[in-house]
Amino acid sequence: MEPVIIVLIILVVLVFIALIKTIQVIPQASAAIVERFGRYTRTLNAGLNIVVPFIDTIRNRIDLREQVVPFPPQPVITQDNLVVNIDTVIYYQVTDARAATYEVASYIQAIEQLTVTTLRNIIGGMDLERTLTSREEINAALRGVLDEATGKWGIRVNRVELKAIEPPTSIQDSMEKQMRADRDKRAAILQAEGVRQSEILRAEGEKQSQILRAEGEAKAAALRAEGEAQAVRTVFEAIHAGDPDQKLLSYQYLQMLPKIAEGDANKLWIVPSEIGDALKGLSGAMGNFGPLAGGSGNNGNNGNNGGTERREKPSID
C-alpha cells in the first residue's frame, strides 16, 4: 500500500503544478509573451489567462506604463570645439510587447546609445552659446529622431529632457565674469539714468516754483498797487466832497510833521518850503478866532492893552 500512496501523492503534486502553470494572472498595465516550444504564440493581456502547462512558457513580462530613464553625463563637442557634459532623461512607453521582445535585444541600452549619437550630431552643429540657450530645440530634435528609430521596436518616446549642460570650468568662470560685468554695466547705466532724471525733475520743479513765485509776486504787487490807488482815490474823493479850505489844510499839514520825524534812523529831515504858507494860514486863522476865545476887553482884569489879549504864535520845534 505504501507505493500506491507515494504514487498518489506524486500525481497530486503534478496536478497542482499543472494547475499553477495553466492559470496565469497578468497585472494591470502589463503584458506577457507566450512561447510554445520556443516559438512566439501570443501575448497575454491583463487578467486571468489559461495556457497549456509544460508546453507554453512565459518568455517575458513587460511593463506597459510610461518609464523614466536617466542617462549619465555624456561628453559632447560643440561647433566651437568646447567639450560640454550633458545629462539626459528619456520618457518612453512600450506599445508593442512582441516587438520590444524580439526586434531588439535590450531596448534600454539601444535607446541610450541612440540618444548619445543623436545628441552629438545635434550639438556638433551648434556653438556653446546656442547650446546653452536652445534646450527646447535640442529636446524636439532628439525626440523626433528617437521616436522614429524606436517605432519599429514597439517603443514610443514621449519626452526628452536635458537635465544639465555643464561647460568646462574655465568657460564657466569666464561666463560668470562676463555676466557680472554686464550686470555692473546695467546697474551703472540705470543709476546714471536715475540721477539724470532726478536732476531734470528737480530743475523742472525749481523752474515751476520760480514761475509760480514770480506770478504770485506780480499779482500781489498788482493788488497792492490797485489797493493803494483805490485808497488814494477814496481820500481824494472824500477831500473834494468835504470842500476843505486853506486853513484846514494848513492844520492837517502841521499835524503830519511829527510823523515825518518819527523813527530812530531819521537823523536829518528837511522842512519843505510850503510850511511857511501853512504857518501864515494857521496864524491868520488863530488871530481871527482870538476875540471869540478871550471875551470883551472892558470886563477883563488886565486893561493895559485896551481890552485885547495878545497871543504868541506857536513855535515849531
Side-chain angles (χ1 to χ4, degrees):
M1 293 296 293
E2 291 182 358
V4 175
I5 294 175
I6 293 173
V7 171
L8 290 176
I9 293 173
I10 293 173
L11 290 175
V12 171
V13 171
L14 291 176
V15 170
F16 183 75
I17 294 173
L19 289 176
I20 293 176
K21 288 185 174 293
T22 300
I23 300 174
Q24 295 290 333
V25 178
I26 306 300
Q28 184 67 33
S30 298
I33 301 299
V34 178
E35 291 181 348
R36 180 171 294 176
F37 301 113
R39 185 177 180 180
Y40 170 77
T41 302
R42 58 183 176 141
T43 301
L44 300 181
N45 297 320
L48 183 64
N49 296 274
I50 304 299
V51 297
V52 180
F54 306 107
I55 296 176
D56 295 339
T57 57
I58 303 298
R59 167 68 184 273
N60 192 13
R61 294 177 184 269
I62 298 176
D63 194 345
L64 300 179
R65 294 175 297 177
E66 185 175 9
Q67 304 292 323
V68 181
V69 179
F71 296 144
Q74 300 295 329
V76 182
I77 301 176
T78 61
Q79 189 178 13
D80 47 358
N81 296 325
L82 293 175
V83 179
V84 294
N85 294 322
I86 300 179
D87 296 348
T88 55
V89 178
I90 303 296
Y91 297 81
Y92 73 92
Q93 186 176 11
V94 177
T95 57
D96 188 351
R98 177 182 177 280
T101 302
Y102 296 105
E103 295 296 334
V104 63
S106 176
Y107 56 83
I108 296 296
Q109 186 177 1
I111 291 175
E112 180 180 1
Q113 296 302 320
L114 183 60
T115 300
V116 172
T117 55
T118 305
L119 190 62
R120 288 177 178 173
N121 292 332
I122 295 173
I123 300 300
M126 298 181 178
D127 55 8
L128 179 61
E129 184 176 358
R130 184 181 174 189
T131 301
L132 295 175
T133 57
S134 303
R135 288 176 176 256
E136 294 296 331
E137 182 181 353
I138 297 172
N139 293 339
L142 268 175
R143 182 181 179 279
V145 174
L146 292 176
D147 196 19
E148 182 181 358
T150 58
K152 61 180 180 179
W153 301 339
I155 307 294
R156 183 177 69 243
V157 177
N158 296 327
R159 291 193 306 277
V160 180
E161 297 292 340
L162 301 182
K163 287 174 53 178
I165 301 177
E166 299 179 357
T169 306
S170 59
I171 301 299
Q172 291 182 7
D173 295 339
S174 300
M175 293 173 63
E176 290 178 359
K177 291 179 181 179
Q178 181 180 0
M179 288 187 294
R180 190 179 301 111
D182 291 339
R183 287 195 296 268
D184 294 341
K185 177 182 177 181
R186 289 196 296 269
I189 292 174
L190 291 176
Q191 184 177 2
E193 290 180 353
V195 172
R196 174 176 172 271
Q197 189 67 22
S198 176
E199 294 295 335
I200 291 175
L201 293 176
R202 187 181 295 109
E204 290 180 353
E206 292 178 356
K207 176 183 176 182
Q208 190 68 20
S209 176
Q210 292 177 359
I211 292 174
L212 294 176
R213 190 181 298 110
E215 291 179 354
E217 292 177 355
K219 291 181 179 179
L223 292 175
R224 193 180 301 110
E226 184 178 355
E228 293 177 355
Q230 184 66 28
V232 172
R233 189 180 303 110
T234 302
V235 173
F236 184 77
E237 290 177 356
I239 292 173
H240 282 275
D243 193 15
D245 55 2
Q246 183 65 29
K247 301 173 184 179
L248 179 61
L249 294 177
S250 299
Y251 181 72
Q252 292 293 331
Y253 189 82
L254 290 175
Q255 284 184 338
M256 290 300 298
L257 288 178
K259 294 184 179 181
I260 297 176
E262 286 180 356
D264 297 337
N266 295 331
K267 302 298 181 181
L268 177 65
W269 56 287
I270 299 172
V271 178
S273 61
E274 290 81 357
I275 193 171
D277 298 336
L279 290 174
K280 292 178 180 180
L282 184 60
S283 176
M286 294 181 68
N288 293 332
F289 287 108
L292 296 177
S296 175
N298 296 325
N299 296 328
N301 295 327
N302 297 326
N304 297 329
N305 294 328
T308 302
E309 183 180 359
R310 183 178 179 180
R311 299 176 180 273
E312 296 181 356
K313 296 182 181 180
S315 61
I316 300 175
D317 294 336

